[in-house]
């Protein structure tokens, strides 16, 4: 039996009927055409599907759509405001903190959640916050540098 | 030489798309009427299929078709036609496709898999390449003698060996007889996954009028097209392969993987697109895996540390099908002597069929496998001679005037491994950090059998160590925590691209109406930043600001120029050369058009800064904008036509290797490098922490320093995984024990060491602005550098990768050191 849910996605209120087994990731990618969240493993191992739920990073492949009811979701598409990139997005470009870009949306959102709760993180805190996000391309150095630079710029 | 754009760390062209989620990957594409495919994979590693009943699956809700290998017209393969896109009557590895369900949605397709009935008759299984090469091993391709193959591939009929390459120089028998020291060991590099974050995916539509369009996450759209044309009997003009952004390749999306399978499936549902995206678990068995090599290595050395001879036997795991591994065997064979000059050589490299998923290209392509052996061996030899690992490498290093294993003489523009070694040594604290180990011993050493970690040498910092081995000054070991020991190690490398002798790369540069240009290439942007680097080369060659250069991000075989494939770290070099040729042609056309309009001889005109101008009177010029769509005079008469430049490049002077001796000109260029590691080992838990990874690479002219560093960092961390934690585990039945990222751990951000990339820039004569390849090289020597560092820290010698905590503990216990 489909269930009706109501949640906000990138600031817009969304009301829709979802199946109980439907994953938040599928609702975002298939029903809402927000394909920025990627599926790298479907099992909570890679973090490519990371989105923010009430400003906390979650693996959208492990969250059921019904769990998003009443929550506020932010995806990578909702991060840039009025054509203005988020400082994290700018820093990722500036520090070449992306290569293939498949991990990038998830990385940026995990970092966003960190900076929202801790605007001045240490390097160790950045690593801790990104520990659920795999990147096979960059070796992580530029990503950590970018997050620290964005934090510095914001403060 | 000063350049405007080349040498600058400009930002990636694809940055904004990738940080906003706008960048499109295959799985982000949805087509009208799209169906979804799921694959039933063999659970048997080696069996005959005795029954296959799909009728029940056909009746499941939403199912549109169930496709099997029945009716497949022919075997496919680029080198050896030894495979069908899915099993026909026999399976050769766990994971081989047996049937594919096509349904309206992925859940229905998945659900219906359970109703397919397959019966098998099991055959004996072998997963180890050495065992599989022995007489009496289960025959995996009993009919390999009849397979169609390219010239230069040498199978051993009646065995599992599908290709054998011999490299012979000089006379090793004499060298070993006269040697002061002979060292012999066996080294094992297990199979690994590439772990591209983006799973393999494709969408194919078989058109009702005949022909096929496919979106694929591929490094090799032209190879894919070729194979699909052969499989379905279609002309190239009827098969269109489009590649959007690729979420990491590392070789695992080169050649062809799931594409022929999906083409065959789409053939059964004409007019409707079918999407297939693999799950992470399927990535383990449904594409290709990397490496998997046993190397038996024997070195003859003089008293002063000169390499006199090398005899090596390489057994590379080809898996169930050998097509993708043929050239890896060749690469391993010709590079087994590493970056050293060795006068007497006898190397035999075997590609061996086994019952694992097929082995394909994997960042480094045969080189990491043999460098693991060669570079561990160098440290062991140095220790036996009481020599420093730095000195022995410098003594034997290839360089201008020296000759490599296949008889090619190095020129001064080919690069300097000696400088790379010195840079890494300096970065790690200087030569004092690499003093000779003590207690050299002399003579022949018995084979230390593969798989057994031995410690035949005294611990350098242990009770037996002489004071000499205790470094001081810059190099003094920082006070490690109790129970923790630190060490440093280096390893050097030589890597060349292995390519068809006519590997094609093309470029088209279209002058746009604003005076900027659009560059089309067949090279795939899979994260390495090639489109940015190629734009820089185009900007430089056309004297345009970078903002006026675009590179078409999607490759489409309908209109992108030819590209062999995006592999072998050859894109900057080969496609960069094609772009320079295209730019030269465009400039030529521009000056010829302007000569007519300006009434100035073309030779006096130059293209600079978005203009074409008279060298002698620069105030006489036209902007490129004026020329783009055809220049018209005051009366409106067109005096010129729109302008497009094209360039096509093939490597010069390559030839096949001599079948007997392996001598020949197969490598178009080489990149030399050295990598170093500092590690800390917890002697109680065996846990290794890699503290630093330093790489120095002679990449010729660096086109974009930040992107070049990014390639090296990424490769180094990837290879760090292979050094200490990664390795596919097969059980006796050939099943993979660690298919998920939970069981197969890859380095995470918390494992990241301090990373450093240094460049030596000896300009390469054959490269654009002196550039050479660098994408794979950072992955080649990290495992031996780390193992050499572990040796320095613990005194333990390791011959098997990965060097896990468990192995360290076991080796310590064997040595009798209290854990
Ligand atoms: S796709 Fe969700 S964690 Fe990997
Ligand atoms: S940039 Fe490719 S996985 Fe991170």
């Amino acid at each position: 039996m489909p269930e009706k849910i109501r949640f906000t996605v990138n600031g817009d209120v969304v009301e829709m009927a979802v199946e109980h087994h439907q994953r938040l990731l599928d609702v975002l990618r298939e029903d809402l055409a927000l394909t920025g969240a990627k599926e790298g493993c479907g099992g909570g191992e890679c973090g490519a599907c990371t989105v923010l739920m009430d400003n906390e990073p979650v693996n959208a492949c492990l969250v059921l759509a019904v769990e998003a009811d009443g929550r506020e979701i932010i995806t990578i598409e909702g991060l840039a405001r009025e054509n203005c990139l988020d400082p994290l997005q700018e820093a990722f470009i500036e520090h070449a903190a992306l290569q293939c870009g498949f991990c990038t949306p998830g990385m940026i959102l995990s970092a966003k959640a960190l900076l929202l709760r801790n605007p001045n993180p240490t390097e160790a805190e950045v690593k801790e916050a990104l520990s659920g996000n795999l990147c096979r391309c960059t070796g992580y150095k530029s990503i950590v540098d970018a997050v620290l630079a964005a934090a510095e710029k914001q403060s | 030489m000063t350049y405007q754009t080349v040498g600058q760390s400009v930002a990636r062209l694809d940055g904004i798309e990738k940080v906003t989620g706008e960048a499109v990957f295959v799985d982000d594409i949805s087509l009208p009427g799209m169906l979804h495919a799921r694959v039933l994979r063999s659970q048997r590693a080696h069996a005959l299929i005795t029954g296959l009943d799909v009728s029940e699956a056909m009746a499941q809700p939403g199912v549109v078709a169930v496709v099997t290998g029945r009716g497949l017209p022919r075997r496919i393969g680029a080198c050896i036609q030894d495979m069908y896109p899915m099993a026909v009557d026999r399976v050769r590895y766990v994971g081989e496709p047996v049937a594919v369900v096509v349904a309206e949605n992925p859940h229905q397709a998945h659900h219906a898999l359970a109703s397919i009935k397959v019966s098998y008759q099991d055959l004996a299984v072998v997963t180890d390449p050495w065992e599989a090469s022995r007489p009496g091993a289960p025959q995996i391709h009993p009919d390999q003698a009849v397979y169609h193959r390219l010239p230069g591939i040498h199978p051993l009929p009646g065995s599992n060996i599908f290709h054998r390459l011999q490299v012979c120089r000089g006379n090793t028998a004499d060298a070993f007889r006269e040697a002061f020291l002979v060292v012999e060991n066996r080294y094992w590099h297990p199979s690994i996954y590439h772990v591209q974050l983006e799973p393999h995916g494709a969408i194919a539509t078989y058109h009702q009028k005949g022909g096929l369009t496919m979106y694929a996450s591929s490094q090799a759209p032209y190879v894919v097209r070729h194979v699909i044309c052969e499989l379905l009997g279609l002309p190239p003009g009827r098969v269109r392969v489009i590649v959007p952004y690729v979420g990491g390749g590392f070789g695992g999306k080169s050649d062809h993987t799931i594409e022929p399978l999906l083409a065959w499936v789409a053939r059964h549902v004409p007019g409707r697109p079918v999407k297939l995206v693999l799950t992470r678990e399927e990535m383990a068995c449904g594409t290709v895996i990397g490496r998997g090599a046993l190397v038996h290595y024997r070195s003859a050395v003089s008293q002063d540390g000169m390499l006199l001879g090398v005899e090596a036997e390489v057994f590379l795991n080809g898996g169930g099908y050998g097509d993708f591994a043929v050239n890896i065997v060749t690469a391993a064979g010709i590079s087994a002597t590493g970056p050293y000059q060795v006068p007497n050589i006898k190397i035999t490299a075997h590609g061996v069929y086994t019952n694992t998923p097929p082995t394909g290209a994997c960042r480094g392509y045969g080189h990491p496998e043999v460098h693991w052996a060669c570079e561990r061996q160098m440290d062991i030899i140095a220790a036996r001679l009481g020599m420093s690992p730095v000195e022995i490498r410098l003594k034997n290093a290839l360089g201008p005037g020296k000759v490599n294993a296949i008889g090619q003489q190095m020129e001064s523009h080919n690069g300097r491994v000696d400088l790379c070694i010195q840079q890494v040594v300096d970065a790690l604290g200087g030569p004092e950090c690499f003093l000779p180990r003590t207690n050299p011993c002399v003579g022949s050493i018995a084979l230390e059998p593969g798989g057994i970690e031995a410690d035949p040498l005294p611990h350098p910092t242990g009770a037996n160590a002489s004071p000499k081995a205790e470094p001081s000054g810059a190099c003094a070991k920082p006070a490690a925590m109790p129970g923790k020991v630190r060490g440093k190690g280096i390893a050097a490398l030589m890597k060349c691209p292995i390519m068809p002798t006519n590997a094609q790369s093309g470029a088209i540069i279209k002058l746009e109406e604003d005076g900027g240009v659009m560059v089309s290439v067949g090279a795939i942007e899979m994260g390495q930043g090639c489109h940015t680097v190629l734009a820089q080369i185009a900007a430089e060659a056309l004297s345009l600001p970078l903002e006026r250069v675009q590179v078409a991000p999607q490759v489409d075989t309908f209109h992108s120029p030819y590209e062999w494939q995006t592999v072998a770290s050859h894109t900057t070099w080969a496609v960069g050369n094609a772009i320079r040729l295209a730019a030269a042609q465009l400039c030529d056309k521009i000056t010829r058009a302007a000569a007519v309009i300006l009434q100035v001889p073309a030779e006096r005109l130059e293209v600079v800064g978005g203009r074409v101008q008279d060298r002698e009177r620069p105030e006489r010029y036209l902007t490129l904008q004026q020329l783009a769509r055809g220049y018209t005079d005051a009366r409106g008469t067109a005096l010129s036509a729109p302008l497009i430049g094209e360039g096509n490049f093939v490597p010069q002077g390559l030839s096949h290797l001599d079948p007997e001796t392996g001598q020949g000109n197969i490598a178009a260029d080489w990149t030399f490098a050295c990598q170093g590691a500092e590690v800390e080992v917890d002697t109680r838990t065996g846990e290794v922490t890699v503290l630093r990874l330093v790489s120095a690479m002679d990449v010729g002219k660096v086109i974009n320093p930040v992107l070049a560093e990014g390639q090296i960092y990424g490769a180094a961390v990837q290879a760090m995984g292979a050094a200490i934690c990664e390795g596919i585990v097969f059980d006796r039945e050939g099943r993979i024990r660690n298919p998920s990222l939970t069981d197969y751990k890859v380095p995470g951000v918390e494992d990241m060491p301090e990373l450093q990339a240094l460049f030596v820039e000896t300009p390469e004569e054959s490269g654009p602005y002196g550039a050479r390849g660098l994408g794979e090289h950072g992955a080649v020597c990290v495992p031996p550098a780390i193992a050499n560092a572990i040796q320095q820290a613990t005194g333990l010698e390791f011959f098997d990768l990965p060097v896990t905590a468990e192995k360290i503990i076991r080796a310590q216990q064997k040595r009798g050191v209290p854990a």
Side-chain angles (χ1 to χ4, degrees):
Chain A
M1 265 302 282
E3 186 172 323
K4 242 192 153 149
I5 59 167
R6 183 189 157 92
F7 60 129
T8 69
V9 179
N10 299 330
D12 297 331
V13 177
V14 175
E15 275 188 19
M16 61 191 297
V18 297
E19 298 287 345
H20 271 264
H21 64 261
Q22 240 182 313
R23 306 177 305 172
L24 176 60
L25 182 60
D26 298 330
V27 167
L28 293 172
R29 287 181 54 84
E30 283 156 29
D31 299 310
L32 303 177
L34 294 169
T35 55
K38 304 298 180 200
E39 178 157 358
C41 70
E45 298 160 354
C46 75
C49 62
T50 304
V51 298
L52 300 188
M53 184 147 98
D54 295 341
N55 287 340
E56 284 300 318
V58 294
N59 288 327
C61 72
L62 295 184
V63 174
L64 292 174
V66 288
E67 296 176 67
D69 189 32
R71 309 294 199 101
E72 194 191 329
I73 304 291
I74 294 176
T75 72
I76 194 69
E77 291 89 344
L79 208 57
R81 290 275 161 206
E82 280 127 33
N83 271 334
C84 217
L85 294 182
D86 186 272
L88 272 166
Q89 292 172 310
E90 275 175 2
F92 266 61
I93 295 175
E94 207 167 300
H95 290 261
L98 57 96
Q99 289 185 18
C100 78
F102 204 77
C103 72
T104 311
M107 281 287 180
I108 290 180
L109 289 169
S110 288
K112 183 70 187 172
L114 168 70
L115 297 193
L116 284 171
R117 63 171 190 270
N118 176 3
N120 287 305
T122 62
E123 185 173 328
E125 287 166 336
V126 170
K127 288 184 175 176
E128 164 77 36
L130 300 181
S131 63
N133 294 78
L134 292 180
C135 174
R136 193 60 156 172
C137 299
T138 62
Y140 302 102
K141 176 175 160 55
S142 54
I143 294 177
V144 173
D145 290 348
V147 176
L148 289 169
E152 187 153 314
K153 207 164 168 189
Q154 267 178 319
S155 63
Chain B
M1 193 70 194
T2 54
Y3 299 113
Q4 287 174 324
T5 314
V6 159
Q8 306 293 317
S9 288
V10 304
R12 299 178 66 98
L13 300 189
D14 52 3
I16 293 180
E17 282 165 276
K18 286 179 175 175
V19 299
T20 56
E22 209 190 297
V24 171
F25 299 83
V26 164
D27 195 24
D28 303 335
I29 298 171
S30 226
L31 298 176
M34 190 167 77
L35 299 166
H36 297 266
R38 283 286 179 273
V39 183
L40 181 77
R41 297 182 180 281
S42 166
Q43 296 306 309
R44 313 297 178 93
H46 197 193
L48 301 175
I49 299 177
T50 51
L52 178 54
D53 179 1
V54 301
S55 52
E56 215 175 291
M58 278 299 295
Q60 297 299 308
V63 171
V64 177
V66 182
V67 179
T68 69
R70 255 175 246 143
L72 269 166
R74 59 181 65 82
R75 290 195 181 87
I76 54 169
C79 294
I80 311 174
Q81 294 186 346
D82 65 354
M83 71 183 82
Y84 290 102
M86 61 195 303
V88 171
D89 52 3
R90 192 178 174 117
V91 290
R92 296 180 170 90
Y93 62 93
V94 172
E96 185 162 0
V98 173
V100 176
V101 176
V102 181
E104 296 292 341
N105 72 45
H107 304 287
Q108 292 167 330
H110 178 78
H111 193 78
L113 291 178
S115 339
I116 299 173
K117 297 191 183 67
V118 199
S119 47
Y120 296 101
Q121 181 191 326
D122 282 318
L123 300 168
V125 172
V126 61
T127 60
D128 177 276
W130 189 80
E131 277 174 32
S133 75
R134 298 297 91 193
Q139 290 301 293
I140 295 164
H141 286 265
D143 41 0
Q144 74 150 317
V146 305
Y147 293 165
H148 186 266
R149 57 175 61 76
L150 294 181
I153 301 172
H154 313 291
L156 230 64
S159 80
N160 287 317
I161 294 167
F162 55 84
H163 177 44
R164 194 175 62 160
L165 177 89
Q166 303 225 48
V167 180
C168 301
R169 281 183 74 71
N171 181 336
T172 51
D174 290 350
F176 278 83
R177 201 169 36 246
E178 286 155 20
F180 173 76
L181 171 72
V182 171
V183 175
E184 179 171 359
N185 287 297
R186 215 182 271 174
Y187 299 87
W188 169 242
H189 194 316
S191 297
I192 58 173
Y193 303 132
H194 305 73
V195 195
Q196 311 91 337
L197 258 263
E198 179 207 25
H200 290 61
I203 306 170
T205 312
Y206 192 86
H207 302 297
Q208 313 203 28
K209 64 172 187 190
L212 180 123
T213 299
M214 177 180 280
Y215 291 86
S217 175
S218 165
Q219 299 173 232
Y222 279 103
V223 177
V224 166
R225 186 180 74 164
H226 174 80
V227 171
I228 290 174
C229 286
E230 295 230 309
L231 176 70
L232 300 182
L234 292 167
R238 281 292 175 89
V239 175
R240 179 179 193 184
V241 181
I242 304 166
V243 179
Y245 280 122
V246 172
F250 316 125
K253 293 174 182 170
S254 66
D255 297 320
H256 52 94
T257 57
I258 62 170
E259 301 88 356
L261 170 68
L262 190 63
W264 174 241
V265 169
R267 176 79 186 81
H268 292 74
V269 285
R272 293 197 70 180
V274 189
K275 182 189 258 191
L276 173 64
V277 176
L278 300 193
T279 64
R280 180 55 58 184
E281 275 74 13
E282 278 182 296
M283 295 272 291
C285 63
T287 66
V288 290
I289 55 177
R291 321 241 197 277
L294 181 85
V295 182
H296 185 155
Y297 209 97
R298 220 166 151 240
S299 316
V301 196
S302 73
Q303 189 163 11
D304 58 354
M306 294 308 294
L307 292 170
L308 303 176
V310 164
E311 288 183 348
E313 283 208 82
V314 181
F315 296 87
L316 181 88
N317 177 35
Y321 299 93
D323 180 43
F324 313 119
V326 168
N327 288 320
I328 309 176
V329 174
T330 301
I334 70 169
S335 56
T337 45
Y340 307 111
Q341 173 167 277
V342 183
N344 302 292
I345 297 173
K346 191 166 157 209
I347 296 161
T348 313
H350 309 78
V352 191
Y353 287 126
T354 68
N355 296 118
T356 77
T359 296
C362 181
R363 204 173 201 168
Y365 205 73
H367 294 75
E369 295 87 328
V370 290
H371 279 78
W372 165 239
C374 170
E375 285 302 280
R376 286 287 297 118
Q377 188 86 344
M378 287 303 268
D379 261 39
I380 294 169
I381 294 167
R384 305 283 188 212
L385 293 174
M387 233 173 142
S388 132
V390 179
E391 191 193 345
I392 192 161
R393 287 183 169 84
L394 289 175
K395 265 193 161 163
N396 290 285
L398 280 168
K402 304 264 175 82
V403 177
N404 72 1
I406 56 173
Q408 294 170 301
Q409 184 167 325
M410 302 288 126
E411 311 284 344
S412 55
H413 70 93
N414 289 135
R416 297 282 302 274
V417 69
D418 55 335
L419 297 182
C420 295
I421 294 171
Q422 278 157 0
Q423 287 206 4
V424 168
V425 169
D426 288 345
L428 284 175
E432 317 83 271
C433 303
F434 300 96
L435 295 178
R437 286 196 233 157
T438 51
N439 291 15
C441 62
V442 168
S444 215
I445 294 159
L447 176 70
E448 287 140 5
I452 303 206
E453 295 80 37
D455 177 26
L457 292 169
H459 193 315
T461 55
N464 292 340
S466 79
K468 195 166 78 157
E470 280 293 357
S472 60
C475 196
K477 293 186 184 180
M481 302 287 285
K484 295 195 174 173
V485 289
R486 290 187 174 189
K488 295 174 183 176
I490 61 165
L493 70 99
M494 174 197 77
K495 186 184 180 301
C496 59
I498 302 296
M499 52 177 68
T501 47
N502 67 340
Q504 326 78 41
S505 293
I508 297 169
I509 307 181
K510 182 168 60 143
L511 187 59
E512 299 283 25
E513 59 207 76
D514 64 348
V517 294
M518 174 60 76
V519 180
S520 302
V521 292
I524 306 299
E525 176 56 71
M526 52 184 167
Q528 81 281 45
C530 71
H531 286 182
T532 306
V533 163
L534 295 173
Q536 288 179 262
I537 291 173
E540 191 70 50
L542 293 164
S543 174
L544 278 176
L546 186 66
E547 309 79 71
R548 315 213 82 175
V549 178
Q550 299 296 323
V551 177
Q554 279 198 346
V555 172
D556 180 336
T557 57
F558 265 16
H559 47 70
S560 302
Y562 259 119
E563 170 59 37
W564 162 47
Q565 44 179 332
T566 305
V567 297
S569 307
H570 87 139
T571 303
T572 299
W573 177 79
V575 188
N577 276 333
I579 286 179
R580 288 191 73 182
L581 294 169
Q585 194 194 72
L586 181 59
C587 287
D588 185 52
K589 288 185 181 178
I590 290 169
T591 49
R592 279 194 284 133
V596 174
I597 299 162
L598 295 174
Q599 300 288 315
V600 172
E603 312 76 62
R604 244 172 61 193
L605 293 170
E606 61 179 356
V607 178
V608 52
R611 295 174 167 189
V612 51
Q613 66 189 27
D614 185 347
R615 271 200 199 86
E616 291 167 17
R617 295 174 54 198
E619 69 280 7
R620 291 174 64 167
Y621 70 87
L622 292 168
T623 64
L624 298 189
Q625 196 173 359
Q626 288 175 291
L627 288 170
R629 286 201 291 190
Y631 181 88
T632 52
D633 66 11
R635 289 171 304 162
T637 307
L639 299 183
S640 72
L643 298 172
I644 292 179
E646 63 163 72
N648 289 290
F649 175 79
V650 289
Q652 300 300 301
L654 297 192
S655 60
H656 296 305
L657 295 175
D658 181 284
E660 304 296 320
T661 66
Q663 302 296 293
N665 215 23
I666 206 176
D669 69 322
W670 302 266
T671 301
F672 290 99
C674 181
Q675 301 190 284
E678 182 176 9
V679 303
E680 183 172 271
V681 182
D682 186 326
T683 53
R684 291 162 302 188
T685 62
E687 199 192 331
V688 176
T689 307
V690 180
L691 303 172
R692 291 180 71 186
L693 287 176
V694 183
S695 305
M697 209 175 277
D698 192 344
V699 300
K701 177 67 187 167
V702 180
I703 308 284
N704 184 320
V706 162
L707 295 189
E709 282 164 18
Q711 284 305 292
I712 293 174
Y713 297 155
V717 171
Q718 223 172 61
M720 182 181 92
I724 59 174
C725 55
E726 294 181 31
I728 305 177
V729 182
F730 296 97
D731 70 13
R732 276 245 264 279
E733 278 79 45
R735 283 183 298 249
I736 292 179
R737 302 283 292 276
N738 50 354
S740 76
L741 295 176
T742 309
D743 306 318
Y744 183 96
K745 175 133 168 41
V746 300
V749 67
E750 65 282 3
D751 305 310
M752 181 188 95
E754 192 187 318
L755 294 165
Q756 206 176 344
L758 306 163
F759 297 110
V760 176
E761 297 190 60
T762 310
E764 167 68 39
E765 264 177 15
S766 69
Y769 303 103
R772 256 191 289 277
L774 66 93
E776 299 166 89
H777 306 71
V780 171
C781 256
V782 166
I786 287 177
N788 290 342
I790 292 173
Q791 201 293 329
Q792 201 194 62
T794 63
L796 298 169
E797 303 280 6
F798 289 93
F799 303 91
D800 267 23
L801 284 172
V803 184
T804 57
E806 197 192 324
K807 282 187 194 160
I808 290 179
I809 290 295
R810 236 191 296 132
Q812 278 180 342
Q813 284 165 349
K814 212 171 101 197
R815 186 175 62 185
V817 168

